[in-house]
Amino acid sequence: MVKSLKGKITSVYLFLVLTIAIVGLASVFTLYTLRKSVDGLMIDNYKSINASNNMMEAIEIQNVEIINYIRLGKQDAISSYYENGDNFYKWFNIERNNITEKGEREYVQSIQKTYIEFLKLFSKLQEIKNSRGTEKALEYYDSSIIPVFTKIRQQLRDLSLINEQVMINSKDGVTEDANNSMYIILSLSIIAVVAGFFFSIFFTNKFLKPIYLLTETMKLVKEGDLNQQAPIVSEDEIGSLAKEFNNMTKRLQVFEESTLGKLMDEKNKSIAIVKGISDPLIVLDRNFKIMLLNNACEQFFKVDEDIVIGKHFLEVIRNGDLFDYIWNVYDSKEKYSEKIMNLKYDEREYYFNVSITMIEDTYSDVNEIIVFLKNITEIKQVEKMKTDFVSSVSHEFKTPLTSLMMGTSLIMDNNVGILNKKQRDIMETIKEDTDKLLNLVNNLLELSKVEYDKSIFEIKDCNIEEIIQSCFKDFYKCAEAKKIHLHYQIEKNLPIISVDFEKLSWVINNLITNSLKFTKEQDEILITAYKGEDKIYVSVRDTGIGIPDEYITKIFDKFIQVKDKDSDTRGTGLGLAIAKQIVEVHGGQIWCESELGEGSIFTFTIPV
C-alpha cells in the first residue's frame, strides 16, 4: 500500500495518463482508417474534375480571343488563342491519363475530336476575315464556330458530372466510416471521462481531507486561539506537517505568554510618540475609516478622537480635494507619495506638505493608510514675501532703466551732439549692460507671475503644430544668417491639447534661443513633437558645444549659468527656471540630456 502523498498522487496521475493514452490510440486508428477512405474518394475523381474545369477555362478564353480578333484585329489575340490551346492540351493529356470511370474514355475521345474541329474552324475564320472582311467573319463565327464551342463545353460538363456523380455515390461509404469513428471515439471518451471523474473525486477527497482539517485548525490559530491541535489522520507528508504544526502552536503559546506584555508596552510607546507629533496625523483603514488621530489633528480640525474612531474620513474632515488625493494614491498602489496642498479652514488659508504612506501586510494588501500633514504655511508666507519683494524691486528698477535706455538711444542717435569713437564705445557698453539688466528685471517679473499667479494662464484648446511653426518662423531668418540648419519634424494627427499658447511658445522660443547661442556655423537644430502614451513630447535638439555633466541636474535652477571658456554668451540664468515653471503649471515635465562636444536635447511633456 502506498503511504506517501507523492506516491498517491503519482498513482492517480498514472491512471489518468493511461486512460488518455487508450483514447488517443483509438482516435489515431479510427482517423487513419477514415483518412484512407477520404483519399480513395477524392484523388482520382477530383483530378478529372479539375482538368475539366481548366479545359473549360482555356476554351472560353480562346472564344473571347476569337471575338477580339474579329472586331479589333489584334495580333495579341491570336497569340493568346494558341497559348490557351497549349494549356487546353496540357489538361486534356492529364485527363486522358486519369480515366477511371465507365464511359469516361468515350467522352475524352469525343472532346478531342470536337476540339480539333474547333481549331480548324478558327483557321478558316482567319482566311475569311483576311479575304472578305469583318462582317463575313462574324457571320461565319455565329453560324459555324459557336455551335462547335457550345458542343465542346457541354462535353466537358458531362465529363465533370460523371466524376461528380461517382464522388457522390462514394460519399455514403465515407460518411458511414466517419460515423463509426465518431461513435467509437465518443464512447471511449465518455467512459474515460466518467471513470476519471469518479476516480479523481474519490482520491482527491481522500487526499485533501487532512489538508482541510489542518486549514480549519490554522484559521482558529490565526484568530488567536493557540490551544488548537490539528488532527493527524494519515502517515504521509500531510501527517508530518500536522505534527510540526502542533509543535509550532505549543511554542507560539509559550512565546505569547512571555512577550505579550512587552508588545503592549511597545505599542503604548508608539501611540504616545504619534500623539506627541506637532503636525496633524491620521491613520485610516483600507475602507478609509479613521483608526487613530494625534492631538495636533484633533486641535486643528476640532474633533474628538473617541467620537470619530470608526467613521469615514469625509464624515469627519469634509475636504474633497484631500480625500481625492488619498484615494488616488491608494488606487495607484503607490507605497508613498507627497504633495503640497492648500487647505482653507476657519476662514484661514493653510499650506500643508501632505504625505501618504501605505502600510501593507505580508500578502501585499494595504491594511493602513497614514496621512501626515506637515504645516508649511509660514514657509510659504516667507516665500511670498520674498517674491513680492523681488517683484516690487523689479518694478522700481524698470522705470529708471527704461529712462536710461531712452537717454542712451538719444545720445547714440547724435540728438544731443556728435560722439567720437571713444564716447560711442562707452555708450555701446552702457546700452548692452542696460539691455541685460532690463532683461533680468523682465525675467524676474515673469518668474514671479508664473510662480504665484496662475490666473495669468489663458488655457484653451491648441494645436502643438501651430505653436511650433509660429516659433520656427520667428527664428528661421536668424538661424539662416548664422548658417545654422534649423528645421522641425512633427508627427501627423497629434491630438489637441489645453495650454496657454503664448506661454508654451515662450518655452519653445527660450529653448531655441539657447540652442542658437551655443551652436556654430553648419550646426543643426531640430524641433520634434510626437505622442507617447497620454502625453505629447516636444524636443529641441542641437549639435552644439553641449553641457558639462555637473550642470545637467541643476540647469533648471534659478540664476544657474553654464560657464564655458570658449563662449562669451551670457544670460540671466532665469530662462530655463521660468520654462520649468510654465511646463509644470501645465502638468508636464522638462529635462535635459547632453554630451560635451556632441550637443544637447531639451525635452518637455504636455498631458493630452
Side-chain angles (χ1 to χ4, degrees):
M1 181 180 178
V2 180
K3 291 186 177 181
S4 69
L5 181 62
K6 180 180 179 182
K8 295 174 182 177
I9 294 174
T10 302
S11 300
V12 175
Y13 174 75
L14 289 175
F15 171 78
L16 295 176
V17 169
L18 182 61
T19 304
I20 293 170
I22 293 171
V23 174
L25 290 172
S27 301
V28 170
F29 176 76
T30 53
L31 288 175
Y32 174 75
T33 304
L34 181 62
R35 191 191 72 178
K36 289 183 67 178
S37 300
V38 172
D39 288 345
L41 169 66
M42 297 295 293
I43 293 175
D44 293 332
N45 297 117
Y46 177 77
K47 191 174 180 182
S48 294
I49 293 171
N50 187 45
S52 299
N53 290 336
N54 282 295
M55 284 189 283
M56 181 80 75
E57 181 181 351
I59 196 170
E60 286 179 348
I61 294 174
Q62 283 185 296
N63 183 54
V64 171
E65 296 299 349
I66 290 173
I67 296 173
N68 287 337
Y69 170 72
I70 295 171
R71 294 189 177 278
L72 305 176
K74 291 184 176 180
Q75 292 301 317
D76 292 344
I78 297 176
S79 300
S80 177
Y81 175 87
Y82 286 115
E83 286 176 5
N84 282 279
D86 295 339
N87 193 34
F88 181 92
Y89 272 117
K90 168 190 168 183
W91 292 104
F92 176 79
N93 291 328
I94 291 173
E95 167 57 21
R96 186 166 58 185
N97 295 325
N98 190 49
I99 295 173
T100 57
E101 308 302 333
K102 183 179 179 181
E104 190 173 0
R105 184 178 302 279
E106 288 76 10
Y107 273 107
V108 170
Q109 292 172 350
S110 178
I111 289 169
Q112 182 180 21
K113 180 179 179 182
T114 307
Y115 186 68
I116 292 172
E117 182 181 355
F118 180 75
L119 294 177
K120 291 179 179 179
L121 290 175
F122 178 63
S123 298
K124 180 67 175 177
L125 176 80
Q126 293 181 68
E127 294 177 6
I128 293 172
K129 177 174 172 58
N130 292 331
S131 61
R132 301 169 63 185
T134 301
E135 292 300 325
K136 292 296 181 179
L138 282 172
E139 291 176 7
Y140 183 76
Y141 170 77
D142 292 334
S143 62
S144 300
I145 295 180
I146 283 294
V148 175
F149 171 71
T150 304
K151 180 180 178 182
I152 196 169
R153 286 183 62 189
Q154 185 60 45
Q155 290 171 340
L156 290 169
R157 286 196 189 98
D158 293 341
L159 177 63
S160 181
L161 285 173
I162 289 176
N163 288 279
E164 288 177 6
Q165 189 61 45
V166 172
M167 291 180 69
I168 292 171
N169 294 336
S170 302
K171 176 185 174 184
D172 294 337
V174 175
T175 302
E176 185 178 356
D177 291 341
N179 288 334
N180 291 337
S181 300
M182 181 183 67
Y183 292 140
I184 292 171
I185 295 173
L186 184 61
S187 300
L188 288 174
S189 299
I190 291 173
I191 293 171
V193 169
V194 172
F197 175 75
F198 286 107
F199 189 81
S200 300
I201 289 294
F202 174 77
F203 283 101
T204 299
N205 290 333
K206 184 176 181 180
F207 296 162
L208 294 182
K209 183 178 179 180
I211 298 177
Y212 292 148
L213 294 173
L214 181 59
T215 302
E216 292 300 321
T217 306
M218 287 181 175
K219 289 180 179 178
L220 295 173
V221 172
K222 178 183 177 183
E223 293 172 359
D225 187 0
L226 299 180
N227 291 322
Q228 294 293 325
Q229 292 287 297
I232 302 172
V233 296
S234 63
E235 298 181 1
D236 55 16
E237 291 86 346
I238 303 300
S240 300
L241 180 62
K243 291 178 184 177
E244 294 300 324
F245 177 78
N246 291 336
N247 293 333
M248 181 189 71
T249 55
K250 291 178 183 178
R251 291 194 295 269
L252 282 174
Q253 189 173 6
V254 174
F255 178 76
E256 184 186 50
E257 292 173 355
S258 64
T259 60
L260 183 59
K262 294 180 181 179
L263 289 174
M264 291 301 297
D265 288 342
E266 293 299 324
K267 178 183 177 182
N268 292 332
K269 289 179 183 178
S270 299
I271 293 176
I273 293 171
V274 170
K275 290 285 187 180
I277 295 175
S278 59
D279 290 306
L281 184 143
I282 310 166
V283 180
L284 308 173
D285 64 13
R286 68 179 67 186
N287 297 315
F288 305 102
K289 292 183 178 180
I290 294 176
M291 299 174 62
L292 177 68
L293 297 175
N294 69 349
N295 297 334
C297 187
E298 291 181 273
Q299 294 171 6
F300 183 81
F301 292 105
K302 295 181 175 56
V303 295
D304 187 346
E305 182 184 27
D306 295 333
I307 296 175
V308 301
I309 291 296
K311 291 186 177 181
H312 192 275
F313 178 88
L314 286 175
E315 293 183 65
V316 180
I317 302 173
R318 301 181 183 278
N319 190 297
D321 292 338
L322 179 57
F323 179 74
D324 286 343
Y325 175 53
I326 298 171
W327 164 255
N328 289 332
V329 175
Y330 173 81
D331 188 53
S332 65
K333 303 188 183 303
E334 294 183 56
K335 293 185 179 180
Y336 178 81
S337 178
E338 62 178 28
K339 176 183 179 181
I340 295 176
M341 298 189 68
N342 183 342
L343 303 181
K344 290 184 179 179
Y345 203 78
D346 282 347
E347 298 182 356
R348 288 189 60 189
E349 190 174 53
Y350 296 89
Y351 287 91
F352 289 96
N353 185 18
V354 182
S355 59
I356 311 293
T357 305
M358 300 293 165
I359 306 300
E360 298 179 345
D361 57 19
T362 54
Y363 303 103
S364 297
D365 294 327
V366 175
N367 270 349
E368 298 175 357
I369 305 169
I370 299 176
V371 183
F372 180 59
L373 295 88
K374 176 67 178 175
N375 194 338
I376 58 170
T377 305
E378 294 183 1
I379 298 174
K380 282 290 183 180
Q381 289 173 346
V382 171
E383 285 187 1
K384 190 173 187 307
M385 290 172 60
K386 179 195 73 175
T387 303
D388 291 343
F389 172 75
V390 171
S391 180
S392 298
V393 170
S394 299
H395 273 292
E396 293 300 324
F397 276 164
K398 195 167 184 180
T399 301
L401 278 173
T402 303
S403 300
L404 185 60
M405 289 183 66
M406 291 175 62
T408 304
S409 297
L410 288 172
I411 294 172
M412 293 185 67
D413 291 341
N414 298 324
N415 289 326
V416 293
I418 299 174
L419 302 177
N420 58 35
K421 184 178 184 304
K422 187 174 182 180
Q423 290 171 332
R424 182 168 291 278
D425 290 342
I426 294 172
M427 294 308 298
E428 287 283 354
T429 302
I430 294 173
K431 184 177 183 302
E432 289 178 5
D433 290 340
T434 306
D435 288 340
K436 290 179 181 179
L437 190 55
L438 183 61
N439 188 33
L440 174 62
V441 170
N442 288 333
N443 283 340
L444 285 171
L445 289 171
E446 182 71 21
L447 185 61
S448 300
K449 290 179 182 179
V450 171
E451 283 184 328
Y452 289 97
D453 188 5
K454 304 300 185 288
S455 63
I456 66 171
F457 285 80
E458 298 180 6
I459 303 297
K460 57 185 178 181
D461 289 346
C462 299
N463 188 327
I464 189 64
E465 184 172 359
E466 293 178 2
I467 298 175
I468 292 175
Q469 287 176 343
S470 173
C471 299
F472 176 81
K473 290 177 182 177
D474 293 339
F475 289 95
Y476 181 74
K477 293 294 183 182
C478 178
E480 189 176 37
K482 293 183 67 175
K483 297 182 180 179
I484 295 172
H485 182 40
L486 175 64
H487 60 117
Y488 63 86
Q489 293 178 355
I490 302 174
E491 186 179 293
K492 293 182 179 179
N493 301 321
L494 288 176
I496 298 299
I497 53 177
S498 296
V499 296
D500 185 316
F501 189 100
E502 298 299 328
K503 292 290 187 292
L504 203 62
S505 297
W506 193 97
V507 173
I508 299 174
N509 286 341
N510 181 265
L511 297 179
I512 297 174
T513 300
N514 289 343
S515 292
L516 287 171
K517 286 181 183 178
F518 298 103
T519 51
K520 302 175 183 178
E521 288 187 8
Q522 306 307 320
D523 275 339
E524 178 186 18
I525 300 175
L526 172 63
I527 310 166
T528 61
Y530 60 93
K531 184 178 181 295
E533 296 180 353
D534 56 349
K535 302 174 184 177
I536 286 181
Y537 291 75
V538 180
S539 295
V540 177
R541 178 197 306 261
D542 64 61
T543 56
I545 61 176
I547 300 171
D549 291 342
E550 62 267 23
Y551 287 97
I552 295 295
T553 57
K554 56 185 179 180
I555 196 168
F556 294 100
D557 295 342
K558 299 171 188 175
F559 303 108
I560 295 297
Q561 298 183 55
V562 179
K563 301 185 185 305
D564 178 39
K565 63 182 181 179
D566 296 327
S567 176
D568 295 328
T569 306
R570 292 290 181 267
T572 62
L574 291 174
L576 290 176
I578 296 171
K580 181 182 179 184
Q581 288 288 339
I582 293 173
V583 170
E584 290 180 348
V585 167
H586 284 89
Q589 293 178 310
I590 186 169
W591 66 90
C592 171
E593 302 169 71
S594 184
E595 185 176 346
L596 277 177
E598 298 294 331
S600 305
I601 306 173
F602 284 84
T603 306
F604 67 87
T605 62
I606 296 295
V608 175

